[in-house]
Amino acid sequence: PRLGPVQDDEALLLYALARAMRPRTIVEFGTSNGFSAMNWLHAIADDAEARVYSYDILPYPVARTLEDTDPRFVFLQKSQADFDPSDIEFRPVDIAFFDAGHLLEYSMTAFERILGSLG
């Protein structure tokens, strides 16, 4: 069944990629109901030092719940266009997932800002 903006087959692919890549830092733009964030967290479950940083302009309750229950999850209530490397403790970004704003202008701005942090 469809649980969120990411379809089940897409979530499975992203999970498999993350398991194979073993990323230390995942940045996702767009939290919404947190399905992608939970998928990422399951994929990095065996690495206590890995982090998922999730950006959204809205204070979704699930984001605060995830942050309270899993220290590897960090929620940032701000626009993807306002990404700053200090938000993620200047860590190199292994995976950047763009699923917010859905307007090319916002995604391009975020991409330009995150480009220097890509590992």
Side-chain angles (χ1 to χ4, degrees):
R2 182 184 162 134
L3 298 176
V6 173
Q7 300 293 312
D8 290 351
D9 56 342
E10 296 165 331
L12 183 59
L13 173 65
L14 294 171
Y15 174 86
L17 288 171
R19 290 295 296 169
M21 291 176 61
R22 304 188 56 76
R24 302 302 305 277
T25 305
I26 298 170
V27 174
E28 71 166 6
F29 297 113
T31 306
S32 190
N33 293 313
F35 295 118
S36 296
M38 287 184 272
N39 194 46
W40 296 125
L41 289 168
H42 284 294
I44 63 167
D46 59 347
D47 186 349
E49 299 303 314
R51 297 288 178 270
V52 174
Y53 296 89
S54 185
Y55 287 70
D56 208 298
I57 58 174
L58 298 175
Y60 289 102
V62 71
R64 297 298 181 200
T65 301
L66 281 172
E67 200 168 41
D68 290 342
T69 58
D70 194 326
R72 298 167 306 140
F73 180 80
V74 179
F75 176 69
L76 298 117
Q77 187 179 343
K78 63 192 287 189
S79 171
Q80 63 183 353
D82 295 327
F83 169 84
D84 188 272
S86 65
D87 296 340
I88 61 168
E89 303 170 48
F90 300 98
R91 294 167 62 120
V93 176
D94 301 306
I95 295 176
F97 183 57
F98 294 80
D99 194 26
H102 300 287
L103 293 174
L104 183 60
E105 174 185 345
Y106 295 125
S107 293
M108 289 302 297
T109 299
F111 181 76
E112 289 167 2
R113 294 185 68 102
I114 201 170
L115 188 59
S117 296
L118 294 177

